[in-house]
Amino acid sequence: MPESHQLTELQLALLRVLWQRGEATVADISEALRPDRSLAPTTVATLLSRLERRGVVTHRVESRQFVYSATVSEDAVRHSMLSELTEQLFDGDVAELVSHLLSAREISSGDLDKVKDLIAHHESRMEVSDESR
């Protein structure tokens, strides 16, 4: 079973900085987040320390500063969080999740076309996979 990465909105904000930059110091992350949220560097350091204990980030020391980097990819976190959400809210029913997404808000015809293309692409991959068995 894939590793579970259930993260808060604030933890995701920190990770997004790391995913974008590759690595960053506490000061770098505090500065990057400043336009949306003013967090004290000690708060950022505490959050990073907790994420490190969970194995989500790691650090190296450079000139007596911790330089952090993510140990999990954005895709892995999305997959984990969406899988758990699907299980918890839709009892694992992917069709029900998609139905909810389509009915919960106004969807542009362009977005609907993209979804149709994704489904067609997925179906063609499944057919190739079935033929190779």
Side-chain angles (χ1 to χ4, degrees):
M1 180 170 182
E3 197 171 343
S4 177
H5 301 295
Q6 297 307 304
L7 303 169
T8 66
E9 182 184 346
L10 185 54
Q11 291 169 331
L12 285 169
L14 269 66
L15 275 171
R16 283 188 183 106
V17 174
L18 294 175
W19 289 326
Q20 289 170 349
R21 297 182 180 203
E23 58 182 22
T25 64
V26 168
D28 295 335
I29 295 169
S30 294
E31 186 61 33
L33 296 176
R34 190 172 319 274
D36 296 322
R37 29 182 117 201
S38 186
L39 297 174
T42 53
T43 302
V44 173
T46 299
L47 289 164
L48 288 166
S49 176
R50 290 178 182 162
L51 288 171
E52 188 166 26
R53 278 196 301 273
R54 291 178 55 190
V56 177
V57 301
T58 190
H59 78 272
R60 63 182 176 79
V61 179
E62 182 179 289
S63 301
R64 298 186 333 189
Q65 272 193 328
F66 283 11
V67 180
Y68 289 90
S69 59
T71 60
V72 295
S73 69
E74 186 172 10
D75 189 55
V77 169
R78 282 181 179 167
H79 181 75
S80 173
M81 291 182 73
L82 188 56
S83 292
E84 191 154 317
L85 177 83
T86 303
E87 283 299 321
Q88 289 177 351
L89 295 180
F90 300 98
D91 201 24
D93 188 339
V94 174
E96 187 62 32
L97 168 68
V98 172
S99 174
H100 177 78
L101 290 172
L102 292 173
S103 64
R105 61 183 352 189
E106 188 76 24
I107 297 178
S108 71
S109 60
D111 283 344
L112 196 52
D113 288 341
K114 287 179 187 176
V115 171
K116 289 176 185 177
D117 289 344
L118 289 168
I119 291 170
H121 176 74
H122 185 73
E123 285 176 332
S124 68
R125 282 190 11 226
M126 300 247 337
E127 289 171 4
V128 169
S129 175
D130 288 344
E131 290 173 3
S132 66
R133 287 184 193 173

